[in-house]
Amino acid sequence: MKSDTIATSNPTSLVDALRTVPGLDITESGGPGGTTNIRMRGGNTGQTLVMIDGIRINDPTAASGDYDFAMFAPSSIDRIEVLKGPQSALYGSDAMTGVINIITRSGTGPAQFNVRSEGGSYGTASTAASLSGSQGPWSYAFTGSGQHSNGFSRFGYRIPALEAKFPNLERDGFDRVGGSARISYDAGDLKLEAGILSTFTRSAYDAAYNASSKTVQFPDTPNSATRQLDQVWGKASFDSLNGLLTHSVTLSETHVERSFNEFAYKTNTLPQNTTTTFSSYLANSAAAEYQATLKLGAFGSLVYGAKSQHETADIWQVSAPAANPPVAALSKSQDTNAIFALWQVPIGERLNVTLGGRVDDVADVARFETWRATAAYSIAETGTKLRASAGTGAKAPTLYQLYAPLTASPGLSPETSFGYDAGIDQSLFNGRVVLSVTGFANDFSNLINYVVDVARPNGYYVNVARAETSGIEVGSTVDIVPGLLKFNAAYTYLHAIDLANGSILARRPKNLVRFALAITPTDRWTIEPRVTTVSKRFDKANQVGELGAYTRVDLYSEYRIDANWKVFARGENILNAHYQEALNFGTTGPAAYAGFNATW
């Protein structure tokens, strides 16, 4: 996914750009700034590895080890790479269903300054700026951004039954600031790179709510959360054996800090009946990785390497009005060492095959092996590419699952999976029609579930679950009238089943369709209506909490004034669809935004 696709989406929500990728299902709990998760090909949220510039950012303090996409804004992004299917053979734990690699901007050519700003509904304002370029062997890129939105109530907004029961819902807005810097020095045989980024988000949110439970009487609470993501990395690459063998060494440090200030009311909202709980989550991940590429001529190339990673997770909680000191709910660390190899070999002029494997050793937890094989056959005469892959995935139990008080299970084993896919990429009519069709299937075993029984009424984690997913992904681009009309579409059919009881897995729609029609009346003006249709799904396991099907229509338009300036406008949900991505959480009503983009 390129930067121009990202630029025309919502600048306050990274995942809005990812919604165009077949096979991804996205849930924002109450709009931008709320907890945001991604599931790939029907897997769980923690089974997708998320990286920034190749550096892992999954959160060691999260129960499932996933990454909350509310922590990052699109302004620093140059492009996003999405790898689907089991990828643990090269990337290790968490890459069971795929990898999302966010690549930040880098510099090339003469110095260029860009600023983009927009404002609109819900008191939303966003501005981002960047400076990038290169001079001799040096290149650089610097970005900075700020966003603000008054938002809408994350709980109950535009859900008539809840708005009637809880009138005067308060707005839940957010603020975000962030920036990044990337510098490199390329002397030919030696290349040095370094990057740093930081993002801080402050948002309001509401308590969860279950109409059949009396545990939450007042869900529209003045809760607040902060999220901080910091990352720094350095990489050195150099050649040997006259360029036949290339080496790279990468050192990185990632810091994730989340805090939540939660309110709960007993019988009413008077101060004497109010309880406040403050929770702090601190995670650090330091890693060192060596990777080499050996060119083998007619026998292709061999990529091999090793990685060592040290993670820490610290969770603290304190409640008021009780005068108790902060309680350490978790303070643990974990070391993972891995070796991997990938052989890429051409067979003839049309067939390319890869074979890869990896061994991960999680200290005092488990050792697991994974593999992956792919094949691609190209027929240039017909514009056809046939491809297939198969492999295994694995996910080590998280520090929270292993060691959290009351719910911990130190003897947990890694989750495992086997997956395969096959597809075709077809170009027709001199490239005016491009079609991609992929069928896939995954079998998940040893999944870690949270269960409650008589022996442990507080609940605990255990390897008990099995699931299977299968489906079809379709992507197409049709240049209907060159220079005037261009059609893009993405469709996913998903069959996702809990093998314990045959029920549909939570938040997995069977059908998801997105398409857009880019209309270019002149070479300066673009109009693009976008349509998203999602079938019904269930919010919780065992097909509980049905979420209705919906169709949402958005509209984007931009006008290029000259080589430096353009103005744009976008409308969200312009036909006023009422829908929910998560049960009882609101979504945007009809909204309009406008702004400008300038480059010098």
Side-chain angles (χ1 to χ4, degrees):
M1 178 181 300
K2 297 182 180 180
S3 57
D4 53 353
T5 301
I6 299 168
T8 62
S9 65
N10 184 351
T12 64
S13 174
L14 166 61
V15 297
D16 275 5
L18 288 168
R19 293 180 190 273
T20 62
V21 179
L24 299 188
D25 180 55
I26 298 168
T27 302
E28 278 186 325
S29 298
T35 301
T36 306
N37 300 119
I38 288 181
R39 296 171 179 82
M40 188 179 294
R41 287 187 171 175
N44 290 329
T45 56
Q47 294 171 347
T48 297
L49 176 64
V50 184
M51 302 188 296
I52 297 178
D53 293 324
I55 309 300
R56 168 194 169 102
I57 57 172
N58 288 55
D59 188 351
T61 64
S64 61
D66 58 343
Y67 173 69
D68 184 354
F69 281 81
M71 300 179 70
F72 196 64
S75 57
S76 300
I77 301 173
D78 178 66
R79 65 187 189 277
I80 302 175
E81 296 177 343
V82 179
L83 306 176
K84 289 178 281 189
Q87 303 288 337
S88 294
L90 189 58
Y91 296 97
S93 184
D94 296 347
M96 290 182 69
T97 59
V99 175
I100 296 174
N101 187 21
I102 301 166
I103 300 173
T104 59
R105 298 189 185 192
S106 58
T108 183
Q112 184 178 81
F113 178 75
N114 175 265
V115 61
R116 184 180 181 91
S117 184
E118 78 162 39
S121 300
Y122 301 110
T124 301
S126 175
T127 298
S130 66
L131 173 65
S132 61
S134 61
Q135 181 68 44
W138 292 93
S139 64
Y140 55 89
F142 305 94
T143 72
S145 67
Q147 291 126 21
H148 167 81
S149 176
N150 295 332
F152 47 80
S153 177
R154 301 198 189 280
F155 167 79
Y157 179 64
R158 301 178 72 247
I159 304 174
L162 295 179
E163 288 187 320
K165 187 173 183 179
F166 302 97
N168 303 316
L169 295 173
E170 63 172 4
R171 289 174 176 259
D172 295 308
F174 78 96
D175 295 278
R176 181 188 291 123
V177 293
S180 68
R182 186 169 176 175
I183 300 175
S184 67
Y185 174 82
D186 191 347
D189 292 342
L190 174 66
K191 184 176 182 179
L192 303 176
E193 300 175 87
I196 185 172
L197 66 85
S198 181
T199 301
F200 175 80
T201 304
R202 178 185 287 110
S203 59
Y205 69 100
D206 292 321
Y209 174 69
N210 186 343
S212 62
S213 171
K214 296 182 180 180
T215 57
V216 179
Q217 297 291 325
F218 304 92
D220 187 30
T221 52
N223 299 345
S224 62
T226 62
R227 300 176 176 91
Q228 176 83 33
L229 170 65
D230 300 308
Q231 185 185 84
V232 60
W233 59 272
K235 181 177 181 179
S237 305
F238 55 95
D239 295 338
S240 62
L241 302 178
N242 293 320
L244 293 179
L245 181 60
T246 301
H247 312 265
S248 69
V249 177
T250 304
L251 302 177
S252 63
E253 174 78 24
T254 301
H255 173 78
V256 177
E257 182 172 346
R258 300 177 294 136
S259 66
F260 301 89
N261 198 26
E262 298 184 344
F263 291 80
Y265 306 109
K266 296 177 181 178
T267 57
N268 55 50
T269 59
L270 294 176
Q272 59 267 33
N273 293 314
T274 301
T275 300
T276 304
T277 301
F278 178 80
S279 304
S280 176
Y281 298 77
L282 304 176
N284 287 285
S285 178
E289 182 174 4
Y290 166 76
Q291 184 171 304
T293 302
L294 176 62
K295 297 179 181 178
L296 301 174
F299 296 96
S301 62
L302 178 67
V303 179
Y304 61 91
K307 182 177 181 179
S308 182
Q309 183 166 289
H310 176 71
E311 295 177 308
T312 63
D314 292 279
I315 302 176
W316 294 83
Q317 290 184 333
V318 61
S319 296
N324 296 325
V327 176
L330 179 68
S331 184
K332 290 290 183 178
S333 64
Q334 182 170 273
D335 293 299
T336 303
N337 298 303
I339 56 174
F340 56 88
L342 176 70
W343 183 29
Q344 302 169 310
V345 55
I347 301 176
E349 297 182 353
R350 299 180 184 271
L351 179 62
N352 284 277
V353 175
T354 69
L355 300 170
R358 181 178 175 119
V359 179
D360 286 84
D361 185 5
V362 185
D364 301 322
V365 177
R367 176 182 293 176
F368 52 88
E369 301 82 28
T370 51
W371 62 269
R372 179 173 172 84
T374 72
Y377 187 83
S378 297
I379 308 173
E381 296 86 346
T382 61
T384 305
K385 181 179 180 181
L386 304 173
R387 49 187 167 72
S389 71
T392 59
K395 175 179 172 59
T398 67
L399 286 168
Y400 189 94
Q401 292 166 343
L402 289 168
Y403 305 117
L406 301 179
T407 63
S409 299
L412 290 172
S413 300
E415 299 179 331
T416 59
S417 70
F418 169 71
Y420 57 91
D421 61 32
I424 180 173
D425 301 323
Q426 181 66 58
S427 177
L428 299 169
F429 306 110
N430 295 320
R432 287 181 56 183
V433 177
V434 178
L435 178 67
S436 175
V437 180
T438 305
F440 66 88
N442 295 288
D443 185 6
F444 299 94
S445 302
N446 228 26
L447 296 178
I448 298 173
N449 271 7
Y450 180 77
V451 300
V452 177
D453 56 29
V454 176
R456 299 183 66 176
N458 290 316
Y460 61 103
Y461 291 97
V462 62
N463 294 101
V464 295
R466 285 194 61 205
E468 64 179 19
T469 69
S470 60
I472 299 173
E473 300 166 350
V474 180
S476 66
T477 301
V478 182
D479 200 352
I480 302 172
V481 180
L484 181 61
L485 292 176
K486 192 171 185 178
F487 177 78
N488 293 280
Y491 168 72
T492 303
Y493 168 80
L494 177 65
H495 178 75
I497 298 297
D498 184 341
L499 293 178
N501 54 23
S503 63
I504 299 172
L505 295 176
R507 297 186 182 179
R508 273 77 161 186
K510 180 174 289 188
N511 296 284
L512 195 157
V513 185
R514 297 186 178 95
F515 62 86
L517 182 64
I519 308 167
T520 312
T522 72
D523 58 357
R524 295 189 176 191
W525 186 21
T526 299
I527 306 168
E528 185 172 293
R530 303 163 179 171
V531 179
T532 301
T533 297
V534 181
S535 64
K536 78 170 185 178
R537 58 256 181 260
F538 298 94
D539 188 69
K540 296 179 175 57
N542 301 316
Q543 298 184 193
V544 174
E546 181 175 325
L547 299 170
Y550 69 90
T551 296
R552 168 175 154 167
V553 180
D554 301 323
L555 181 65
Y556 178 82
S557 181
E558 71 176 35
Y559 183 80
R560 183 168 55 85
I561 299 172
D562 54 31
N564 302 104
W565 289 85
K566 66 180 177 182
V567 293
F568 59 87
R570 59 186 182 89
E572 293 186 352
N573 195 13
I574 60 176
L575 298 185
N576 195 25
H578 284 70
Y579 66 98
Q580 300 173 55
E581 291 188 356
L583 188 65
N584 296 327
F585 283 88
T587 53
T588 183
Y593 306 87
F596 69 89
N597 187 94
T599 303
W600 295 276

